[in-house]
Amino acid sequence: MFNKYKNKMRPKTWVEISSSALKSNLEVFKRLVGPKVGLMAVIKANAYGHGAVEVARMAERIGIAWFGVDAVQDGLALRENGIQGSVLVMGYTPPENLRTAIESDLSFVAYGQEQAQELAKLSRGGFLKTKRAKVHLKIETGTMRQGLFGKELVVFAKKLSAIKGVEIQGAYTHFANIEDTTEHTFAASQMRRFDEECARLAAVGINVKVRHSACSAAAILFPQTHHNLVRLGISMYGLWPSKETKAVAQRSRRNNLNLKPVLAWKTTVAQVKTAAKGTGIGYGLAGHATRVTKIAILPVGYWDGYDRKLSNVAHVLIRGARCEVLGRICMNMCMVDVTDVKGAKPGDVAVLLGADRRENISAEELAGQIGTINYEVVTRINPLLPRIVVR
Ligand SMILES: Cc1ncc(COP(=O)(O)O)c(C=O)c1O
């Protein structure tokens, strides 16, 4: 968009981020983990759709010192926007990008020989004389994603620690089966393996400063996973990791966490029209007016992240009332039934996700309708939509 107009244009669809809800959720977790454990705000995937820079700024103001991102590019965006805290790049970093990461003081996950070779090259070339490469070893404990274990881990860690200018700042793992179940034997085995692997490193003189393993569900359910740092994603945004996590939390009386959803997703009624009984609505005439129907046209569609599987299924809130989606979600538009909404007119706000008066549409409701999880609903909201911070 032309920059000249960008900030003057009224958005037709937007995302509101509540700074007070985010603050309240982070305070809940500060109390839960206690003063000796740090919190990492996991802001990958555009802060789970909430807006990475906006969330990082708010979290930093509240005293969060660690940020978890996926790519070096995400870390650079934080630095360009003045974020000073520690940033850990948790996803794959092509070796060519390590120099940029180090230059911008980004920590990064390490588990690959190509990384060790590149770091050794940077060290030989003198680049690491003034800058330190801060790495976090990824320990494979059973998720079968990134990481190393056993002898391979020790050999790799020794290799890295022998490179001048490389600091093994941290070591971490990630749980495979903690939010999907109420049965945590596998998670417990991962906890044991993490401790064993850390002990194996210590035995060869590699004493890692920052150990971390907990995501939201682990942080809530298992205090022994807190170590020095907890990586908070979904729950920081006020959403429970799963109903299973909530059930176990309830059993163990850890469900008194008052999590407040941070995000609301809104659009504007563009037109209201009346269809005669029996009229087909939208592409494929897949919607159907079963009575004389007042239809509101909304300027939001699957391009915005409003999933096409919500066709004929979802509801939106207009003037505090639930309105059914009629017909197929289009690329940039959809239609809803406002027959029973008194006074509905162009310009009205329609809530796709969030509360309006006594009604609420949750990420879990939308996730249930399209067969996915709340994580995916929020992370897939188009990052180009404006994120507006509200109190
Ligand atoms: C490595 C890692 N740590 C932490 C998190 C945060 O998890 P959650 O959103 O369940 O708190 C994620 C999210 O996928 C992750 O990949």
Side-chain angles (χ1 to χ4, degrees):
M1 187 186 310
F2 297 111
N3 271 337
K4 193 165 114 187
Y5 301 118
K6 197 172 165 186
N7 297 325
K8 292 186 192 149
M9 304 275 276
R10 178 182 152 189
K12 51 187 182 180
T13 301
W14 68 98
V15 172
E16 288 178 4
I17 305 300
S18 161
S19 59
S20 55
L22 185 78
K23 185 164 187 263
S24 165
N25 297 334
L26 285 169
E27 274 160 5
V28 162
F29 280 94
K30 275 189 186 172
R31 281 196 295 279
L32 184 82
V33 302
K36 292 196 180 130
V37 177
L39 294 180
M40 175 189 287
V42 176
I43 53 170
K44 60 183 189 162
N46 196 30
Y48 290 41
H50 292 61
V53 170
E54 291 84 349
V55 169
R57 279 196 184 129
M58 288 188 273
E60 193 156 68
R61 245 179 268 130
I62 298 164
I64 299 302
W66 278 93
F67 300 91
V69 298
D70 178 59
V72 172
Q73 287 85 340
D74 304 332
L76 296 182
L78 296 186
R79 292 290 183 241
E80 275 161 16
N81 283 281
I83 301 300
Q84 314 225 312
S86 301
V87 176
L88 174 61
V89 177
M90 302 191 293
Y92 172 64
T93 300
E96 302 87 313
N97 295 350
L98 287 177
R99 189 187 174 101
T100 308
I102 297 161
E103 227 152 25
S104 298
D105 194 25
L106 306 178
S107 304
F108 50 90
V109 64
Y111 49 82
Q113 295 307 328
E114 309 73 22
Q115 288 172 305
Q117 280 159 17
E118 182 66 17
L119 290 171
K121 200 167 99 191
L122 290 173
S123 182
R124 280 196 306 275
F127 178 67
L128 297 182
K129 270 197 185 129
T130 49
K131 303 263 180 200
R132 285 177 89 69
K134 297 175 191 165
V135 306
H136 287 230
L137 298 169
K138 187 70 183 280
I139 300 183
E140 175 59 81
T141 57
T143 299
M144 286 315 193
R145 216 165 75 164
Q146 295 164 317
L148 300 170
F149 66 99
K151 203 164 156 215
E152 213 182 348
L153 170 70
V154 172
V155 171
F156 181 69
K158 278 165 94 176
K159 196 170 186 178
L160 284 187
S161 59
I163 302 171
K164 270 215 172 91
V166 172
E167 174 192 344
I168 300 185
Q169 183 183 45
Y172 73 106
T173 196
H174 191 51
F175 294 105
N177 199 24
I178 202 148
E179 53 279 293
D180 293 276
T181 178
T182 55
E183 205 288 303
H184 288 115
T185 322
F186 193 78
S189 77
Q190 288 195 275
M191 291 173 214
R192 272 196 308 279
R193 286 181 68 179
F194 184 58
D195 290 341
E196 283 160 17
E197 297 293 351
C198 288
R200 212 192 288 270
L201 291 172
V204 295
I206 298 170
N207 286 298
V208 177
K209 272 194 288 195
V210 190
R211 287 185 197 184
H212 44 115
S213 68
C215 55
S216 295
I220 294 167
L221 300 179
F222 301 106
Q224 66 270 39
T225 64
H226 293 178
H227 305 289
N228 316 107
L229 185 66
V230 159
R231 303 187 305 270
L232 275 191
I234 199 84
S235 56
M236 171 176 81
Y237 304 107
L239 306 178
W240 277 80
S242 64
K243 59 182 184 335
E244 289 81 0
T245 306
K246 211 168 185 179
V248 179
Q250 204 146 16
R251 246 174 20 212
S252 50
R253 302 228 173 95
R254 290 179 195 281
N255 65 327
N256 53 354
L257 305 174
N258 181 15
L259 300 182
K260 298 180 178 162
V262 172
L263 179 149
W265 187 9
K266 298 183 178 177
T267 189
T268 318
V269 173
Q271 188 186 357
V272 176
K273 65 171 69 165
T274 303
K277 185 176 173 183
T279 307
I281 298 162
Y283 286 130
L285 304 176
H288 196 68
T290 53
R291 55 180 172 166
V292 176
T293 302
K294 229 165 44 168
I295 300 171
I297 321 301
L298 306 180
V300 65
Y302 57 80
W303 181 82
D304 300 275
Y306 201 60
D307 198 292
R308 195 163 172 274
K309 289 197 278 310
L310 294 169
S311 301
N312 273 323
V313 174
H315 291 85
V316 307
L317 305 178
I318 299 174
R319 296 178 178 238
R322 277 189 168 254
C323 307
E324 226 181 305
V325 168
L326 293 175
R328 287 200 192 135
I329 308 289
C330 315
M331 194 182 289
N332 303 106
M333 287 182 224
C334 65
M335 289 70 81
V336 298
D337 185 343
V338 288
T339 313
D340 300 323
V341 185
K342 231 175 160 184
K345 62 174 195 328
D348 278 358
V349 170
V351 178
L352 308 168
L353 173 50
D356 186 3
R357 288 157 241 197
R358 282 206 229 131
E359 279 289 353
N360 181 46
I361 302 215
S362 66
E364 291 74 23
E365 176 178 331
L366 296 179
Q369 287 163 340
I370 62 175
T372 187
I373 51 176
N374 51 6
Y375 289 70
E376 190 180 343
V377 169
V378 287
T379 54
R380 286 186 51 206
I381 301 175
N382 191 321
L384 297 178
L385 296 177
R387 267 62 180 173
I388 299 169
V389 176
V390 297
R391 268 193 59 77

